[in-house]
Amino acid sequence: MAAPGPVNPEATFDPSKTPVIEGFSPTVYSNPESFKDKFIRKTRENPMVPIGCLGTAAALTYGLYCFHRGQSHRSQIMMRTRIAAQGFTVVAILLGLAASAMKSRP
């Protein structure tokens, strides 16, 4: 572990200036991606994640509707379906990460 460098008591902190960090150079993206473009790109890369999210939201919504109407048995089934849809979404995310990691390997 390296010892910290000498402290310069003359240097004062100026919050109006950006800090200078040795070895770090921030990059400015010349072509920023809009939310819509990024959403479409990510959906094309892994289409199962949005499908799982929609399934989770649908099961939750219908389960709450059934609960409100007093259909406790159907509500319980929909809450279990929601858990399965959440599991599907998590597995889809993990498989997408694994696929992109394998794709980026030389």
Side-chain angles (χ1 to χ4, degrees), residues 46 49 85-97:
N46 194 356
V49 173
Q86 283 178 321
F88 173 81
T89 305
V90 169
V91 168
I93 290 170
L94 293 176
L95 290 176
L97 286 172

Side-chain angles (χ1 to χ4, degrees), residues 40-82:
I40 290 171
R41 178 177 57 85
K42 291 287 188 177
T43 301
R44 285 187 182 146
E45 287 176 6
N46 194 356
M48 292 297 138
V49 173
I51 291 170
C53 290
L54 288 174
T56 301
L60 176 64
T61 303
Y62 188 61
L64 289 173
Y65 174 75
C66 290
F67 181 75
H68 179 71
R69 298 221 21 182
Q71 300 171 340
S72 61
H73 180 68
R74 181 167 306 267
S75 175
Q76 189 65 252
I77 290 172
M78 293 313 297
M79 291 302 118
R80 291 177 184 158
T81 304
R82 176 187 59 88

